[in-house]
Amino acid sequence: MAREFSTVGVVGLGTMGAGIVEVFARNGIDVVAVEISAPALERGRATLKGSTDRAVAKGKLAEADRDALHERVHFAVGLDALHSVDLVIEAVPEHLDLKQRIFAELDRVCRPETILATNTSSLSVTEISVATSRPNQVIGIHFFNPAPVMRLVEVVRTVVTAPEVVADVEALCARLGKVDVTINDRAGFIANALLFGYLNHAVAMFESHYATREDIDAAMKLGCGLPMGPLALMDLIGLDTAYEILDTMYRRGGRDRRHAPVPLLKQMVTAGLLGRKSGRGFYTYERPGAPVVVPDEATPPATDAALADGARAIAKVGVVGSGTMATGIIEVFAKAGYEVVSVTRGMEKSAKVCEAVKTSLNKGVVRGKLAEADRDAALGRISWSATLDHLADVDLVVEAVVEELSVKKALFASLDEICKPGVVLATTTSSLPVIDVAMATQRPADVVGLHFFNPAPVMPLVEVVRTIRTSPEATATARAVCAALGKTGVVCGDRSGFIVNALLFPYLNDAVKMLEASYSTADDIDHAMKLGCGYPMGPFELLDVVGLDVSLAIQRELYLELREPGFAPAPLLEHLVTAGYLGRKTRRGFRDHSHR
Ligand SMILES: NC(=O)c1ccc[n+]([C@@H]2O[C@H](COP(=O)([O-])OP(=O)(O)OC[C@H]3O[C@@H](n4cnc5c(N)ncnc54)[C@H](O)[C@@H]3O)[C@@H](O)[C@H]2O)c1
C-alpha cells in the first residue's frame, strides 16, 4: 500500500514553489506553504492567485474549484508550521549551504516519518540528505517550469534513499497527473544536463553579437518547433537560478567548459536583470512577473523598415540545382509571385524537377490550400533551363547544388562572369563556410547564405548568413526577400552550424553520450525532453528522423571548426553509423523501425 499524503509542505514560494503549491492544491492535497518573511509570503500568495485567476479566465478552472484550491493552502512564515505534514518539498534558491541548513531544520521540526524532498535542479541530493538524520527518507522531486503545466517530474534517488520512499513518491506523481522518470543523483539529472549547455551556448552567441536575441529565439522556435527560444526560456527560469545551475553543473559535471556560465550572465544578475521575475532580463516585460514582452531599445524595427535600409528590388530569381532543396525553393519563390529561372545540368533533370514542383503544387490544391488558378500562375512564372547563361538578367541567384565546396566555388565563379552587377548571390549550404564561396567571385560583398530548411515550402525559417565581406545592402535584400516569401529570416554570422544546427546538434550528441553512459534509457530521455521542456520530439526520435550519418557529419564539422572538446562526436553515434544503422531511412537507428 502506497503511503497516503494528505498534507504536504512547500518551502520557498518563488518561481517554482508557488507553482508546486498549485499542483498539490489542485489535486485535493492540503498544503502548508512557507516563506522566509512576510513580504516574500505575500509575493508567493499573489503569484498563486495570479496563476489560478488566469486559469479561471481561460476557462481551465471553475471559480468554485479555484476557491476550494485556495482554501487548501495555509500560508506561514518559518519552518515551524511544517510540524505535522507528510512530505516537504523545498524550493529555495540553488545554494547548497542554504539547502543543507533548511534540511537540518526540517529534520528537527518534522515528524520522524515525514519524507523530505528537494526541487534542486543541479545540486547533489545526497549532499543535501546528509544534513539530516534520515538520509534514507530524502529524495529529489524535480518539477519543471511552469509546474502546473509541464507534465514531467524527475524523481531522484540517492544511494541511500529507501525503495519504499521512491515507490511512494512515484505513486504521488501519478496522483498529481504527472509522468515521472526515476534516476540517480547526477548533476542536472536528465533534462537540465541536456538543456543547460544549449542555453549557455545561446547566451554566448548573443554576447558575441553573433545574432540578435530575437533571431536566436526565432531560429530555435521556427527551425526546431520548440515552444520558446533559449533566451526567452532563460528569462522564464530566472537568470540567477540559471547562473547557479550552470555553476553547479560546471563544478559537479567534470568541468565541462560549456557549463561555465557566460560572463554576461553574471553581469546581468549583478545588475538585477533576473528575467521575468524582475521585469527585465534578455527581454523587457510589462511588469515584474508578467509574461508579456514589451518593446525596448534593442527591439528591431519591423521588417518593412529593412527596405528603407538599402534593400534592392528583386523581381526575377535564378535557382540552380535539381535536388530536394532546389525543388522546394523554386516552388516557394514561384508561389510568392517571383519570376523564376530554374537551371539544372540537363533538360532531363529539369523535366524531373518540373514534375516534382507540379506534384507538390497539386498536393496544395487537393488539400484546399492553393487555388487551381494560383497553381497555374505559379507554374507559368517558372522557366526551365540547362544553361547558366539564362541567369544573365536575374536579380537574385539561389544556389542549391551538391554540398561540395569545389563544386560550389566553380559555380560561383561562373555566376560572377554571367550575372549582371548588383545581383545578390546566395548559397543554401548548411555546413560550408559562405566566405569560401564568396571569395570565388570578384564581388564577395554581394554574396550571402540563404539557409532554407527542409521541406522548404513548409518550414517557416531561413537563416541569412552574412560573411565578413557581405554588404549591409545584400543582407537587407536577403531579409526583405525572406519576408516577401512569408518566412522569417534570421541574420547570423558565418560560422559552422549557423544558429540552429550549432545549438541543436551538440544537444543531440549529449543525449547520445548520456545513453552511452547508461544513465538513462532512450525512452526516458525522449520523455524527459518532450514532457519536461515541451519539445516536439525527443532527441532519439529526432536523430532517427534526421539520419545518424547526417547528424554525425554536422557534429564533426562543429567539432573541427570550434575545437570544443565537449563537441566531440559520441562514440556510440560513430559506431551506429559504421554499422549502417542510420535511422528511419535504413529502418534502424536508435530504434528498430522495421515493424512500423
Ligand atoms: N526556475 C526554474 O525554472 C526551476 C525549475 C526547476 C527547478 N528549479 C529549482 O527550484 C529551486 C527554486 O528555484 P526558483 O527559480 O523557484 O527560485 P526563486 O528565487 O524564484 O525562489 C526562491 C524562493 O525561496 C525563498 N526563500 C529563500 N530562503 C528561504 C528560507 N530560508 N525559507 C523559506 N523560503 C526561502 C525566497 O524568498 C524565494 O521566494 C531551486 O533549487 C532551483 O534550482 C528551478
Side-chain angles (χ1 to χ4, degrees):
M1 268 289 284
R3 185 194 298 231
E4 192 46 45
F5 294 97
S6 50
T7 312
V8 305
V10 176
V11 184
L13 308 177
T15 307
M16 289 311 292
I20 294 170
V21 169
E22 184 178 335
V23 170
F24 282 109
R26 263 195 191 214
N27 286 282
I29 297 173
D30 289 333
V31 185
V32 181
V34 306
E35 258 292 353
I36 193 168
S37 65
L41 194 69
E42 279 321 303
R43 246 196 342 264
R45 196 198 296 266
T47 308
L48 179 66
K49 186 169 179 314
S51 172
T52 51
D53 285 352
R54 277 197 300 277
V56 169
K58 283 187 196 154
K60 290 187 176 167
L61 186 69
E63 263 181 59
D65 290 340
R66 175 197 55 196
D67 297 344
L69 183 162
H70 283 278
E71 270 171 28
R72 276 182 218 116
V73 185
H74 170 71
F75 290 92
V77 172
L79 302 181
D80 287 339
L82 300 171
H83 51 79
S84 51
V85 300
D86 305 310
L87 164 82
V88 179
I89 298 194
E90 160 280 311
V92 304
E94 191 78 341
H95 296 292
L96 182 61
D97 51 347
L98 172 65
K99 294 201 191 253
Q100 284 182 324
R101 254 189 292 126
I102 286 183
F103 271 71
E105 182 71 8
L106 288 172
D107 192 33
R108 195 183 57 74
V109 169
C110 297
R111 292 185 319 212
E113 62 275 20
T114 302
I115 294 176
L116 305 180
T118 172
N119 184 49
T120 184
S121 307
S122 58
L123 295 167
S124 159
V125 180
T126 316
E127 280 183 65
I128 295 170
S129 76
V130 294
T132 73
S133 63
R134 56 178 106 178
N136 58 344
Q137 275 159 249
V138 175
I139 192 165
I141 305 184
H142 184 231
F143 285 88
F144 286 76
N145 190 0
V149 179
M150 304 312 288
R151 283 182 62 213
L152 184 77
V153 174
E154 288 174 325
V155 174
V156 186
R157 63 173 166 229
T158 73
V159 284
V160 292
T161 311
E164 56 275 18
V165 169
V166 176
D168 289 342
V169 167
E170 286 172 342
L172 175 65
C173 290
R175 180 174 164 196
L176 298 175
K178 301 286 183 193
V179 174
D180 68 274
V181 292
T182 301
I183 41 183
N184 294 333
D185 186 16
R186 196 178 107 158
F189 316 127
I190 297 178
N192 285 348
L194 297 180
L195 187 67
F196 272 82
Y198 148 72
L199 294 176
N200 205 35
H201 190 180
V203 177
M205 275 185 177
F206 173 73
E207 187 190 49
S208 64
H209 302 285
Y210 181 67
T212 64
R213 61 186 185 186
E214 284 82 4
D215 281 359
I216 292 171
D217 280 352
M220 296 314 286
K221 272 171 69 174
L222 303 178
C224 304
L226 305 188
M228 61 202 312
L231 301 176
L233 178 56
M234 286 294 267
D235 276 359
L236 176 70
I237 291 169
L239 301 196
D240 49 346
T241 302
Y243 177 89
E244 294 301 334
I245 293 173
L246 279 166
D247 191 49
T248 310
M249 289 193 44
Y250 175 74
R251 283 185 281 107
R252 282 186 72 206
R255 299 192 181 257
D256 183 340
R257 280 198 318 220
R258 292 178 302 155
H259 291 135
V262 169
L264 176 66
L265 273 178
K266 181 75 177 181
Q267 292 160 29
M268 291 177 76
V269 172
T270 309
L273 309 176
L274 306 183
R276 264 192 208 186
K277 61 182 159 190
S278 70
R280 174 122 203 204
F282 288 103
Y283 295 92
T284 303
Y285 298 84
E286 215 171 27
R287 63 192 134 72
V292 182
V293 172
V294 294
D296 58 22
E297 70 287 348
T299 304
T303 328
D304 294 348
L307 283 168
D309 227 15
R312 298 173 196 154
I314 304 287
K316 195 167 180 180
V317 179
V319 180
V320 186
S322 50
T324 315
M325 290 315 289
T327 307
I329 292 166
I330 292 167
E331 177 182 336
V332 167
F333 275 99
K335 268 202 300 206
Y338 289 93
E339 219 184 308
V340 181
V341 183
S342 154
V343 180
T344 71
R345 281 169 300 157
M347 285 322 282
E348 233 172 73
K349 286 194 189 299
S350 291
K352 273 196 187 147
V353 178
C354 178
E355 229 13 74
V357 171
K358 271 189 193 154
T359 308
S360 177
L361 288 171
N362 281 337
K363 269 191 200 150
V365 172
V366 171
R367 289 193 189 132
K369 288 184 175 165
L370 187 69
E372 278 186 32
D374 290 339
R375 172 199 60 193
D376 297 341
L379 285 170
R381 281 184 211 109
I382 312 171
S383 57
W384 307 96
S385 161
T387 157
L388 290 173
D389 291 338
H390 287 133
L391 299 176
D393 65 342
V394 300
D395 307 306
L396 164 72
V397 179
V398 181
E399 164 278 310
V401 303
V402 66
E403 189 77 342
E404 257 175 54
L405 189 56
S406 58
V407 177
K408 293 199 193 264
K409 279 168 84 167
L411 174 62
F412 272 72
S414 305
L415 292 173
D416 193 22
E417 285 174 10
I418 293 165
C419 295
K420 64 186 183 189
V423 172
V424 173
L425 301 176
T427 170
T428 56
T429 182
S430 48
S431 62
L432 301 169
V434 178
I435 189 67
D436 272 324
V437 178
M439 295 310 287
T441 72
Q442 302 297 315
R443 43 175 124 178
D446 292 330
V447 178
V448 295
L450 271 184
H451 184 222
F452 285 83
F453 289 71
N454 189 14
V458 177
M459 295 298 285
L461 183 74
V462 180
E463 286 173 318
V464 175
V465 185
R466 63 170 168 221
T467 75
I468 40 172
R469 298 286 295 265
T470 306
S471 70
E473 296 75 31
T475 308
T477 307
R479 215 171 179 167
V481 165
C482 292
L485 295 176
K487 311 254 181 224
T488 298
V490 295
V491 178
C492 63
D494 182 22
R495 264 174 36 177
S496 181
F498 309 134
I499 300 174
V500 173
N501 287 354
L503 291 177
L504 177 68
F505 282 88
Y507 142 73
L508 296 175
N509 193 47
D510 284 346
V512 180
K513 288 182 184 167
M514 182 178 273
L515 181 70
E516 198 168 22
S518 301
Y519 179 61
S520 187
T521 62
D523 286 351
D524 276 359
I525 297 172
D526 276 353
H527 257 118
M529 297 317 289
K530 286 198 288 190
L531 302 179
C533 305
Y535 282 26
M537 274 191 227
F540 298 104
E541 282 175 292
L542 185 56
L543 280 160
D544 275 1
V545 169
V546 171
L548 273 52
D549 50 344
V550 174
S551 306
L552 177 61
I554 294 173
Q555 191 60 29
R556 274 201 187 123
E557 289 282 344
L558 288 170
Y559 178 56
L560 288 178
E561 178 163 305
L562 302 168
R563 306 291 165 121
E564 167 57 59
F567 286 175
L572 176 60
L573 186 59
E574 295 187 333
H575 292 181
L576 288 166
V577 172
T578 308
Y581 295 164
L582 307 183
R584 281 182 180 269
K585 59 187 168 188
T586 60
R587 297 187 163 269
R588 179 150 181 191
F590 284 97
R591 293 196 174 89
D592 184 349
H593 301 281
S594 52
H595 306 297
R596 296 180 197 186

